[in-house]
């Protein structure tokens, strides 16, 4: 395969550098590429090669390569681009910035630009983008996809493209609903058919690995049928919902079709979880008698920057009319403190709150985890007006975090999960003062 470059230099890529099963993907200029399937198929390396080659084209090309978490860019996509460039002999023609993780062809200015979607200014600096590639987009939200897709409008582009690559983790995922036929999860729906290229693959499409040994590795790594379906066979997973920590939450009942927004007539509580990674917060609103319980927003920061949290609160809410609650560990001094202050003291100082606005417990009473689970389940089961809006990661926690035989929350499967659920349960415990009798029927 050859690609042109100014100054008459041509780059020739031996056909052994890529899988024959991905040749059409490598050449695709479709508006959308939807590449999904099992692990080990080679789809990610194909995208690395595809977009490195585009840097040498005579037309304008500027790719935004996306990661849900900014801190993972260096060790994932940036490292992948470097590895494939070195393997194929392209590295010496390109400039790799170790500080910004930007990759540039100095001869024509074509570039690969990284962006983390946990950045509050997630679309800033992405002007002139002609192509977007998001690997593991299943970790993002539909709203993230929509915001990025709107950036693809450069009139100078040879073509515009949004490429998505992912494992089909759940039949209930927003990617399944948005891109695929309702009755066929392996065919693009009418909205994307005709302007999208669909590619499905598994480890069996990768001729560069020992497929027998890789299959044994996959089977050893996966212990339930849903994960085997997804990672081995590349088919949509159907995770079990039994044994959940909160088993009375019903998405169709508790997530309204039209999201609730901030209501000045209601009390506002912000419940914070002071974990190292990520730091999270939820915004809850209620009336005096708890007849309405509305979760209206969520916050996650993988840098665990408490000052960033304070800025977010200050930008979005009237600090004179809110209460701060949450994890009792916020009373301790943390590594992010610029002095001998606790997390709650930092929030109080930064937002200029009075002491009555801090509603956090000083410690955890005996049986606290079991009590807040009981209260959480009671709210979802019997409260007449309990809803969650604009908080997709909280919903994910509610639908996936399980309970251990001891009655504690199981936090072993994904360290980034469960923290928003903790925010919710700490907040509900606080506003009911830990008494289930205070929950309206």
């Amino acid at each position: 395969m050859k690609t042109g470059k100014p100054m008459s230099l041509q780059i020739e890529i031996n056909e052994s550098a890529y899988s024959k099963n991905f040749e059409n993907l490598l050449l695709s200029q479709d508006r959308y590429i939807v590449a999904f399937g099992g692990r080990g198929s080679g789809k990610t390396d194909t995208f690395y090669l595809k977009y490195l080659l585009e840097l040498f084209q005579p037309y304008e090309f500027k790719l935004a390569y996306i990661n849900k978490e900014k801190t993972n860019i260096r060790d994932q996509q940036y490292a992948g681009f470097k590895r494939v460039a070195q393997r194929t002999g392209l590295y010496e023609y390109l400039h790799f910035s170790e500080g910004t993780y930007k990759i540039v062809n100095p001869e024509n200015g074509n570039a690969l630009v990284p962006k983390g979607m946990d950045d509050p200014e997630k679309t800033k600096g992405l002007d002139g983008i002609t192509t977007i590639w998001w690997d593991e987009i299943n970790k993002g939200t539909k709203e993230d996809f929509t915001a990025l897709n709107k950036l693809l409008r450069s009139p100078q582009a040879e073509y515009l493209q949004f490429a998505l690559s992912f494992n089909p983790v759940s039949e209930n995922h927003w990617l399944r609903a948005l891109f695929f036929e309702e009755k066929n999860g392996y065919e693009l729906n009418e909205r994307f058919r005709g302007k999208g290229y669909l590619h499905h693959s598994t480890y069996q499409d990768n001729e560069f690995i020992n497929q027998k040994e890789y299959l044994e590795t996959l089977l050893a790594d996966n212990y339930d049928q849903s994960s085997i379906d997804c990672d081995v066979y590349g088919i949509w997973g159907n995770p079990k919902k039994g044994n959940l920590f909160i088993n009375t939450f019903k998405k169709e009942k508790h997530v309204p079709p039209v999201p609730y927004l901030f209501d000045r007539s209601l009390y506002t509580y912000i419940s914070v979880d002071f974990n190292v990674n990520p730091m999270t917060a939820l915004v809850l609103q209620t009336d005096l008698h708890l007849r309405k319980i509305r979760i209206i927003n969520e916050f996650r920061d993988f840098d665990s920057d408490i000052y960033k949290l304070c800025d977010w609160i200050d930008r979005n809410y009237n600090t004179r009319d809110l209460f701060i609650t949450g994890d009792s560990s916020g009373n301790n001094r943390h590594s992010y403190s610029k002095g001998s202050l606790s997390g709650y003291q930092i929030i109080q100082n930064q937002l200029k709150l009075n002491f009555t606005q801090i509603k956090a417990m000083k410690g955890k009473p005996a049986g606290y985890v079991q009590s807040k689970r009981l209260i959480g389940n009671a709210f979802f089961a019997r409260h007449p007006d309990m809803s969650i809006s604009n908080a997709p990661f909280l919903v994910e926690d509610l639908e996936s975090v399980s309970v251990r035989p001891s009655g504690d929350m199981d936090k072993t499967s994904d360290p980034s999960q469960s923290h928003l659920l903790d925010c919710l349960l700490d907040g509900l415990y606080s506003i009911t003062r830990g008494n289930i009798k205070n929950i309206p029927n």
Side-chain angles (χ1 to χ4, degrees), residues 68 139-141 298 300 391-398 420:
K68 182 61 185 176
K139 295 181 179 179
T141 67
E298 66 183 4
R300 294 204 315 171
F393 289 105
L394 171 61
V395 172
E396 185 177 330
D397 279 0
L398 286 162
L420 283 162

Side-chain angles (χ1 to χ4, degrees), residues 69-259:
E69 299 161 17
K70 185 178 180 181
T71 54
N72 290 337
I73 287 173
R74 182 193 67 182
D75 297 329
Q76 293 180 3
Q77 289 104 315
Y78 181 70
F81 278 120
K82 285 181 67 176
R83 173 174 50 78
V84 174
Q86 290 166 343
R87 189 189 76 207
T88 55
L90 300 176
Y91 187 83
E92 62 181 296
Y93 302 110
L94 302 171
H95 174 69
F96 287 78
S97 173
E98 298 298 332
T100 65
Y101 313 128
K102 188 176 181 179
I103 304 166
V104 179
N105 181 346
E107 293 290 340
N108 59 16
N110 286 348
L112 312 179
V113 181
K115 177 60 67 171
M117 292 305 288
D118 54 354
D119 186 342
E121 298 181 320
K122 57 184 70 173
T123 60
K124 187 176 181 180
L126 294 182
D127 296 333
I129 291 296
T130 65
T131 303
I132 295 171
W133 171 43
W134 191 342
D135 190 34
E136 296 185 341
I137 192 174
N138 52 288
K139 295 181 179 179
T141 67
K142 182 180 177 182
E143 291 71 26
D144 289 334
F145 166 76
T146 302
L148 288 171
N149 199 31
K150 290 178 181 178
L151 299 177
L152 290 173
R153 54 179 182 268
S154 174
Q156 286 79 34
E158 177 80 5
Y159 68 95
L160 299 173
Q161 185 171 86
F162 199 130
L164 312 86
S165 48
F166 59 94
N167 296 341
V169 291
S170 172
E171 181 75 29
N172 301 317
H173 202 279
W174 65 266
L175 286 164
R176 169 69 175 88
L178 180 62
F179 285 96
F180 296 88
E181 284 284 351
E182 183 178 354
K183 295 182 179 180
N184 185 351
Y186 307 91
E187 180 181 342
L188 291 179
N189 60 31
E190 186 176 359
R191 177 181 175 185
F192 295 96
R193 197 182 307 135
K195 55 182 178 180
Y197 174 70
L198 181 66
H199 190 280
H200 181 267
S201 58
T202 70
Y203 74 98
Q204 293 176 308
D205 294 298
N206 189 346
E207 63 264 42
F208 300 114
I209 61 173
N210 183 319
Q211 295 182 0
K212 182 179 179 181
E213 290 183 0
Y214 196 81
L215 174 59
E216 292 175 354
T217 300
L218 288 177
L219 291 174
D221 288 345
N222 293 277
Y223 57 88
D224 61 45
Q225 190 59 49
S226 179
S227 59
I228 290 174
D229 287 344
C230 173
D231 287 352
V232 179
Y233 304 113
I235 61 178
W236 289 101
N238 186 21
K240 303 294 183 185
K241 291 190 177 182
N243 208 33
L244 293 176
F245 194 81
I246 299 297
N247 53 30
T248 56
F249 168 76
K250 306 296 180 185
K251 190 172 182 178
E252 62 277 9
K253 174 183 177 183
H254 297 113
V255 179
V258 179

